[in-house]
Amino acid sequence: MEHTKILQGLCLLICSLIILNGKAVIGQQNDMVDLTILESAVSKGAVCLDGTPPGYYFDEGHGEGANNWIIYFLGGEWCYNVTNCLDRTKTKRGSSKFADKQTPFYGMLSNNKTMNPDFYNWNRVIVTYCDGSSFTGDVEEVDLATNLHFRGARIFHAMIEHFLAKGMKDAKNAILTGGSAGGLPALIHCDRFRALLPNTPRVKCLADGSYFLHRKNNKEMSFMETVNEGLINLHHSAKMLPDSCTSKMKPSLCLFPQYFQDGIKTPIFIVNSMFDTYQINVTFPSYYYLDLLNNTCPAYVAKALQDFKQDFLSALPKQCNTSSRGMFIGACLFHAHTIRGNIWNALSINDKTIAQAFSDWYFDKSPVQLIENKDLPLNCYQFPLKTSPCS
């Protein structure tokens, strides 16, 4: 019994330790935040794929941060045909019945002043992702055979309206953000978000791991093109996309940020790896990624990744208007960074972490367009250790 108590004590100690190695944060202690189901969304038709109401996690701001807001949209790929949408209804990505009852807030959502000095006391929200369309779908009809609801855009509006009523309408600062498929709406809806906060002095948007690339020279339709066609046809997402893009090209292409970001009037910040693991996985055969994780890099893999990097960098916003376009583009094999505590305030380019870079840009301290000077990817899965599989 005594040994058990000692082991339990050691486990509690180890689990609560915050280890600082230079700037690297290995762990952090955060309170779990409870799930809230937005029942009122049902009357607006703002529901998950299976018709259940959407949910969110809310950590209330305090002190000087009480009138500041961060709205973060969770990601988790997409459903682009009836079969995979039905599959999602059996998970938290299609039904709030399966949503986590609690979730930790890390990175830019952390309540730890040391780890997150700029935003720890803001009102911080995570919106669950249960519509499969990056919050762009809006179909009135419900198929009685499947009971599938395609209402992602309505969820976006219902959530924002809810938080406006909870005090966000009086915000001094506001950030719309998200990761992966949840970062795409932070771009698509950025100007809508700005328009709903006419009296807020500073409103900006951050997309993390969401700059999905369209490679123009592909001979065959890519996986992402297939996804986007499905979103347009199944979820009727086209009406949520910027007219500045859909007036010039087919709507499915206007789900690629490279084609619509130029029309976003609100300032945006892009956090992405030029060797984003999700994009590497859906672009190349799976053994490419496995080789990299095993720190092996055949010449044909290196060449393919160098070409991908050049295409990705060419698709980014032009580096001329740094006040409205900020970026932090790394070389690590990562996908999404900002709510991972040991990445948000530790991963750096030119000795500036993501947290510092975004803070400098968001608060207008300095323009920020950081791109890591690496030809090939870094294996950072034992971060802060970085290895170069292609060296």
Side-chain angles (χ1 to χ4, degrees):
M1 176 68 95
E2 191 63 27
H3 289 300
T4 302
K5 289 182 178 178
I6 291 170
L7 286 171
Q8 288 174 340
L10 283 171
C11 285
L12 286 171
L13 177 61
I14 291 168
C15 289
S16 63
L17 276 176
I18 296 172
I19 304 169
L20 296 179
N21 178 12
K23 295 180 180 179
V25 180
I26 309 302
Q28 56 181 316
Q29 185 178 14
N30 285 76
D31 293 330
M32 299 293 284
V33 180
D34 291 334
L35 172 70
T36 299
I37 299 297
L38 188 61
E39 300 285 356
S40 62
V42 175
S43 64
K44 301 174 182 178
V47 293
C48 302
L49 285 168
D50 70 339
T52 55
Y56 65 86
Y57 307 89
F58 174 49
D59 199 2
E60 188 172 2
H62 57 89
E64 293 182 357
N67 290 324
N68 300 326
W69 289 75
I70 298 177
I71 308 292
Y72 183 98
F73 286 94
L74 285 174
E77 299 187 290
W78 307 268
C79 70
Y80 48 94
N81 60 49
V82 169
T83 300
N84 57 41
C85 287
L86 282 172
D87 288 342
R88 286 174 78 103
T89 62
K90 304 177 183 68
T91 74
K92 64 183 178 182
R93 292 179 178 175
S95 172
S96 61
K97 290 187 294 186
F98 303 105
D100 297 328
K101 301 305 179 187
Q102 292 184 315
T103 196
F105 276 29
Y106 290 135
M108 73 179 301
L109 300 178
S110 170
N111 63 4
N112 187 308
K113 184 176 181 179
T114 302
M115 305 302 171
N116 188 28
D118 293 299
F119 309 115
Y120 76 97
N121 60 354
W122 285 32
N123 295 285
R124 287 155 291 116
V125 178
I126 291 180
V127 177
T128 62
Y129 181 40
C130 64
D131 67 275
S133 72
S134 286
F135 301 89
T136 61
D138 190 7
V139 180
E140 179 64 35
E141 300 80 15
V142 177
D143 186 336
L144 296 179
T146 63
N147 194 43
L148 285 173
H149 299 68
F150 303 112
R151 306 280 182 79
R154 298 191 192 188
I155 293 175
F156 168 81
H157 286 291
M159 284 291 175
I160 300 303
E161 288 169 8
H162 176 69
F163 289 108
L164 288 171
K166 283 181 74 72
M168 191 170 68
K169 62 180 175 55
D170 299 317
K172 294 179 180 177
N173 296 285
I175 298 169
L176 183 68
T177 182
S180 189
L184 201 54
L187 297 174
I188 291 171
H189 294 309
C190 186
D191 284 341
R192 290 188 181 93
F193 184 67
R194 163 76 272 187
L196 292 168
L197 292 165
N199 299 318
T200 300
R202 184 182 286 114
V203 178
K204 299 184 181 183
C205 303
L206 185 162
D208 178 19
S210 311
Y211 209 85
F212 300 104
L213 175 67
H214 179 240
R215 303 188 81 189
K216 302 175 185 178
N217 297 323
N218 277 353
K219 294 179 181 178
E220 299 178 358
M221 180 177 283
S222 69
F223 171 75
M224 288 301 302
E225 288 176 286
T226 301
V227 168
N228 291 355
E229 290 284 356
L231 295 183
I232 297 301
N233 296 327
L234 190 63
H235 294 265
H236 296 187
S237 298
K239 52 191 167 185
M240 289 297 114
L241 304 179
D243 292 339
S244 59
C245 182
T246 55
S247 63
K248 294 184 290 188
M249 59 184 70
K250 63 179 184 177
S252 61
L253 290 177
C254 295
L255 282 156
F256 290 107
Q258 69 203 77
Y259 296 128
F260 71 81
Q261 64 79 24
D262 192 51
I264 302 173
K265 298 180 176 62
T266 308
I268 60 172
F269 194 92
I270 297 162
V271 177
N272 227 98
S273 170
M274 62 184 85
F275 302 108
D276 179 274
T277 51
Y278 182 82
Q279 298 197 57
I280 296 297
N281 273 321
V282 300
T283 302
F284 302 109
S286 59
Y287 57 82
Y288 278 43
Y289 183 55
L290 293 174
D291 282 343
L292 294 171
L293 286 186
N294 291 323
N295 283 325
T296 58
C297 184
Y300 66 88
V301 172
K303 176 65 167 64
L305 292 175
Q306 286 176 324
D307 291 345
F308 182 88
K309 172 201 166 181
Q310 291 306 316
D311 288 348
F312 182 83
L313 294 181
S314 297
L316 288 171
K318 298 295 180 277
Q319 297 183 53
C320 58
N321 189 352
T322 51
S323 63
S324 68
R325 297 293 183 270
M327 65 182 74
F328 186 104
I329 308 298
C332 281
L333 288 165
F334 277 150
H335 178 60
H337 309 66
T338 60
I339 60 171
R340 298 164 67 177
N342 61 327
I343 304 303
W344 166 250
N345 51 16
L347 189 67
S348 64
I349 299 175
N350 299 338
D351 294 323
K352 184 168 285 193
T353 65
I354 303 173
Q356 293 165 339
F358 180 68
S359 175
D360 285 352
W361 177 83
Y362 181 79
F363 293 109
D364 303 309
K365 298 173 189 175
S366 65
V368 175
Q369 290 195 334
L370 293 172
I371 300 177
E372 194 158 17
N373 185 22
K374 297 290 182 184
D375 288 330
L376 289 162
L378 297 172
N379 185 340
C380 305
Y381 273 88
Q382 296 181 42
F383 186 81
L385 176 66
K386 297 181 181 181
T387 57
S388 190
C390 295
S391 59

